[in-house]
Amino acid sequence: MHPTTLMYTSSLLLMFAVLLYPLLVTFTSLPLNNDWASSHAKTAVKSAFLISLAPLSLFLSTGMEAVTSSWTWMVTTTLDITLSFKFDHYSIIFIPIALYVTWSILEFATWYMHSDPLMNRFFKYLLTFLVAMLILVSANNLFQLFIGWEGVGIMSFLLIGWWHGRADANTAALQAVLYNRVGDIGLILGMAWLATNVNSWDIQQMFILSKDLDMTLPLLGLILAATGKSAQFGLHPWLPAAMEGPTPVSALLHSSTMVVAGIFLLIRMSPLMENNQTALTLCLCLGALTTMFTATCALTQNDIKKIVAFSTSSQLGLMMVTIGLNQPQLAFLHICTHAFFKAMLFLCSGSVIHSLNDEQDIRKMGGLHHLAPFTSSCLTVGSLALTGTPFLAGFFSKDAIIEALNTSHVNAWALTLTLIATSFTAIYSLRVIFFVTMGTPRFLPLSPINENNPAVINPLKRLAWGSIFGGLLVMLNINLFKTPVLTMPAELKLAALAVSILGLLTALELATLTSKQFKVTPLRTPHHFSTSLGFVPAIIHRQIPQLSLLLGQKIASQMVDQTWLEKTGPKAIANATTPLASATSNMQQGLIKTYLTLFLMTLVLVTLISAT
Amino acid sequence: MAGVGFQRWVRTLSKGKISGISGLLPACRSGEILTYFPINIGEIAAAAKKYNIRVEDYKPIADNGEGYGDYPQLPDRSQQDRDPAYQWDHPDLRRNWNEPMHWDFDMFIRNRVDTSPTVVPWSTMCKQLFGFVGFMLFMFYLGDKFPAYQPVGPKQFPYNNLHLERGGSPDVEPEEVKNYEI
């Protein structure tokens, strides 16, 4: 084998080994030392990141991609499954970014979870999640992807329900599992269709063999899978509920890595979707609806983590819109840049929450830019990157998406909704900054405000560098497959910026109203709609479980006995025969008139029958 | 051991109260679990005492042949609806010891159905949500009918519409194609 290929594939497999080693150590019966979390887990992730930079630099300098098939798992006459890893430009760029973000989050978690007695287990869960995510991202066949897919789902459940003594956390974990399961139905449907019609789960083989087939059904299955995993409208309530978990979990799983798995699946399968207009339109409309709906919900939330969660959901909708525009690479670009600033926003929220003694309500924060200047600066930089401020990370991906949207032959309502959502992004971002960092403090005086800990500062610093330069670095080194439209009227070019500035000015105006004693009464109907998250949890989480559980209980306990004993069994026979018996016995009462009437009737009947 | 248990079971069956395998249960022997629908005031009082409810509050589930026996009809309120600040015996379950359990208690735990009052009435919520979704679907349909796009024209080619490149003979004079107007 050529030395470059050898170095490429072996460094990536070494990266897996480095990540698996701390996990395997925990399976022995030896007790872990107290700082296993920082000495082993965090170091493993840091080392894996540094190892993964080697293949990244090989890819950037030579354009090298590789498919590594290590071990034949099972071979049948029609289907064979091998352990194969696809290190193409998607996985080669995503893996270092995911490892960089995870390294920062793990370092932050050594401070955040310091008082937790089971911190080692927490880190073990995070590492297991990371390994599952990397398996998902580097999978070359759908079976391996499914292993990673389920792995991240299970780890999400365990991590959201970390504080399992809290009933709300258990409910949230259950919600995550159930909604993901509904999405898994779609993935399994897609896999089954492909196995029966194309006889392969291998990505390259599927693309070639499905050229002339009608792929609508499996694509709908894959879109359903993405809807579940990436919290698109309809299967979205689990994502804000997942904020019950610790902040490092929210930062890693529910902003940067796990929730983009659905979008990543669609990006991987994008050659199948290119020619299917139904699937593309569905992605576009679903993504536009998601981004607008969740941005609307984010406007009136008061929990800082919920605002960031809805922001994540809105950006995921934007990624779905991009896939609907047949621009998977732009969606991937947005995944990469989004990971940096969203993880940073969550870590800033975590720093603020811990500093204010676990206060999460933004109405009880304020003035933190004097008291926690570094955190506030990072919060501001992250929010600016999120809104697409020119030349920060988010700008390169978000502006490219909006430009592609404006210059495509596209559903006008989807375009409108996406632009509205972009302005809403600016509004709720300013709301967070205004309530958290500006103004006067609204919290108790004796709050343990301390950001002066390297375990807090260093991760935030690293992610801030990523939020500022990440977009530029990725954009400079990536080769776009589809030629972007570069000539367009100035209004379209500046549309994203104009809409964001409009949102910002509106939010500033609303914010300054509070200092002018202007009694702003919000319109109650839309305010309730937004605060109650569109009434989706209230309706869906009550009606459907109640119906199914009640019906299940009734059928299992009452209706089976009632049916077999009363409606069809002994009592039914009794109810049927009693009228017959009473009618017969009423006739046989010894009255001569009755008997004579019967004789006459029989005679008439016989005469009529014999006459015909 | 088994013989002793068998003899006890036969004796319980012969008393005529409980039939079948449930006679093996210890509680059956003293008639503690489900008995028949209460008819007279004595049975109602006994049932209320059994379920730890006041006689005034006790109301059996209607006898529709569903086999509830004398189990009380408790209000359909979930555990989430109960006061979180009250000092319950089991604070996480929001329940006191020996409290009568709803027949569907496993549906009404805090992780399942929540019956706590909503900000707006149910009908308003349904109308607003489904109205919103319906409006969105209608607007998407309209947006599909009237899409947004940049104005485009037909492609123009130089060299007299690429006469030679398209296989035209060099001897034949091509017709002049002017793609501009002055």
Side-chain angles (χ1 to χ4, degrees), chain B residues 118-166:
Chain B
T118 51
V119 178
V120 292
W122 186 264
S123 58
T124 315
M125 284 200 296
C126 286
K127 267 185 271 180
Q128 286 193 19
L129 176 62
F130 296 121
F132 172 77
V133 173
F135 171 70
M136 284 292 155
L137 289 172
F138 173 68
M139 291 308 288
F140 277 125
Y141 167 73
L142 278 187
D144 210 38
K145 273 253 165 318
F146 306 107
Y149 57 93
Q150 289 300 293
V152 289
K155 265 193 184 307
Q156 297 173 349
F157 298 99
Y159 305 119
N160 297 316
N161 229 4
L162 294 176
H163 174 81
L164 286 173
E165 283 81 357
R166 283 195 179 147

Side-chain angles (χ1 to χ4, degrees), chain A residues 34-57:
Chain A
N34 283 341
D35 66 338
W36 176 87
S38 60
S39 63
H40 279 70
K42 189 197 75 173
T43 317
V45 175
K46 181 175 168 185
S47 321
F49 165 67
L50 294 170
I51 293 169
S52 72
L53 287 179
L56 176 67
S57 45

Side-chain angles (χ1 to χ4, degrees), chain A residues 365-386:
Chain A
M365 301 176 185
L368 278 178
H369 91 274
H370 296 292
L371 303 160
F374 194 81
T375 308
S376 323
S377 315
C378 289
L379 193 69
T380 313
V381 166
S383 299
L384 287 173
L386 171 63

Side-chain angles (χ1 to χ4, degrees), chain A residues 171 408 410 492 542 554 562, chain B residues 64 66 68 111 116 148 150:
Chain A
T171 314
S408 300
V410 81
L492 295 187
R542 295 181 182 209
K554 284 253 176 301
Q562 196 179 19
Chain B
N64 286 332
E66 284 167 337
Y68 285 113
N111 291 332
S116 40
Q150 289 300 293

Side-chain angles (χ1 to χ4, degrees), chain A residues 311-387:
Chain A
S311 170
T312 307
S313 205
S314 185
Q315 297 303 306
L316 291 168
L318 186 68
M319 292 173 206
M320 190 63 123
V321 162
T322 321
I323 290 179
L325 290 174
N326 206 3
Q327 298 277 3
Q329 226 182 354
L330 288 182
F332 177 72
L333 193 62
H334 198 52
I335 287 176
C336 297
T337 53
H338 177 258
F340 287 119
F341 53 75
K342 201 42 72 72
M344 189 167 75
L345 282 174
F346 268 113
L347 294 194
C348 292
S349 319
S351 169
V352 162
I353 288 167
H354 253 26
S355 292
L356 300 180
N357 207 15
D358 294 336
E359 180 57 64
Q360 291 187 237
D361 196 329
I362 56 172
R363 296 171 293 190
K364 292 191 189 161
M365 301 176 185
L368 278 178
H369 91 274
H370 296 292
L371 303 160
F374 194 81
T375 308
S376 323
S377 315
C378 289
L379 193 69
T380 313
V381 166
S383 299
L384 287 173
L386 171 63
T387 56

Side-chain angles (χ1 to χ4, degrees), chain A residues 122 220 465:
Chain A
F122 183 75
L220 288 177
W465 284 120

Side-chain angles (χ1 to χ4, degrees), chain A residues 365-372 434-443:
Chain A
M365 301 176 185
L368 278 178
H369 91 274
H370 296 292
L371 303 160
F434 179 74
F435 275 93
V436 172
T437 62
M438 295 185 195
T440 53
R442 292 181 295 278
F443 48 85

Side-chain angles (χ1 to χ4, degrees), chain A residues 131-133 135-136 143-153 229:
Chain A
V131 171
M133 187 70 204
I135 291 173
L136 193 159
F143 192 71
Q144 206 170 316
L145 189 135
F146 189 68
I147 293 172
W149 187 273
E150 292 297 295
V152 300
K229 192 64 101 187

